[in-house]
């Protein structure tokens, strides 16, 4: 598993998560060293969007988020995943699958992921992020059901 963050102004380094991600690991390995500095670089209007995965919602993470003054988008339980990062992952996988022959090992695969992560055009990322309003409008119009996103 890999973790990464995107915004219209920057993208975080891609982080390889080895093993199970717990709330404590999420805080220590991702939030503190990667996410918080990125949000600070973006500025006070930056908003963090994650999903309701257990590591993201642990008590320790919630406390850390509050103490670090991270603006977090509220996302109701059992809601569709409209996060633009999901489309970034799809794009990343398509780009990596174009490499031939397939990767010889995990190290090479991770290297290709990092290379392609850095190579996704900023305009592509901006389009994903700027589509959030329309994603939410369509989700509401379909009562939380299937949308084109």
């Amino acid at each position: 598993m890999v973790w990464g963050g995107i915004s219209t102004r920057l993208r975080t380094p891609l982080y390889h998560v080895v093993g199970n991600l717990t709330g404590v690991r999420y805080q220590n390995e991702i939030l503190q060293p990667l996410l918080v500095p990125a949000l600070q670089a973006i500025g006070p209007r930056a908003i963090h969007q994650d999903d309701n995965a257990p590591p993201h919602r642990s008590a320790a993470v919630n406390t850390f988020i509050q103490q670090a003054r991270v603006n977090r988008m509220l996302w109701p339980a059992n809601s569709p995943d409209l996060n633009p990062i999901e489309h970034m992952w799809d794009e990343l996988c398509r780009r990596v699958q174009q490499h031939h022959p397939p990767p010889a090992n995990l190290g090479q695969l991770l290297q290709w992921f990092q290379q392609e992560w850095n190579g996704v055009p900023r305009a592509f990322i901006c389009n994903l992020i700027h589509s959030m309003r329309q994603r939410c409008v369509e989700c509401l119009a379909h009562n939380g059901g299937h949308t084109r996103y």
Side-chain angles (χ1 to χ4, degrees):
M1 180 172 69
V2 293
W3 179 93
I6 56 173
S7 79
T8 57
R9 294 179 46 199
L10 59 83
R11 70 190 91 190
T12 67
L14 198 60
Y15 180 75
H16 176 217
V17 178
V18 178
N20 293 329
L21 185 64
T22 64
V24 171
R25 287 190 61 208
Y26 181 58
Q27 175 185 329
N28 294 336
E29 298 174 26
I30 295 172
L31 295 179
Q32 202 164 20
L34 301 172
L35 180 72
V36 170
L39 293 174
Q40 289 170 341
I42 294 167
R45 295 183 56 200
I47 299 173
H48 172 52
Q49 180 183 5
D50 57 14
D51 57 22
N52 292 315
H56 301 168
R57 300 298 171 178
S58 72
V61 166
N62 288 335
T63 299
F64 176 81
I65 292 275
Q66 288 175 346
Q67 290 173 345
R69 298 177 190 234
V70 170
N71 295 323
R72 182 194 242 175
M73 181 182 285
L74 298 177
W75 209 250
N78 300 319
S79 65
D81 191 351
L82 302 177
N83 193 328
I85 195 75
E86 299 304 328
H87 291 279
M88 181 69 166
W89 296 135
D90 289 342
E91 177 67 13
L92 190 60
C93 287
R94 275 192 293 278
R95 288 167 160 263
V96 167
Q97 288 172 350
Q98 292 176 1
H99 288 254
H100 292 288
N105 53 49
L106 179 60
Q108 186 177 39
L109 178 62
L110 292 171
Q111 182 181 12
W112 289 352
F113 268 111
Q114 185 66 61
Q115 174 187 335
E116 297 301 341
W117 173 261
N118 293 336
V120 173
R122 184 170 172 247
F124 178 86
I125 296 169
C126 289
N127 286 339
L128 290 178
I129 292 167
H130 291 303
S131 72
M132 270 305 293
R133 176 183 289 278
Q134 189 59 37
R135 290 168 189 271
C136 292
V137 166
E138 281 197 33
C139 184
L140 290 170
H142 290 92
N143 295 318
H146 180 74
T147 69
R148 64 187 172 114
Y149 294 101

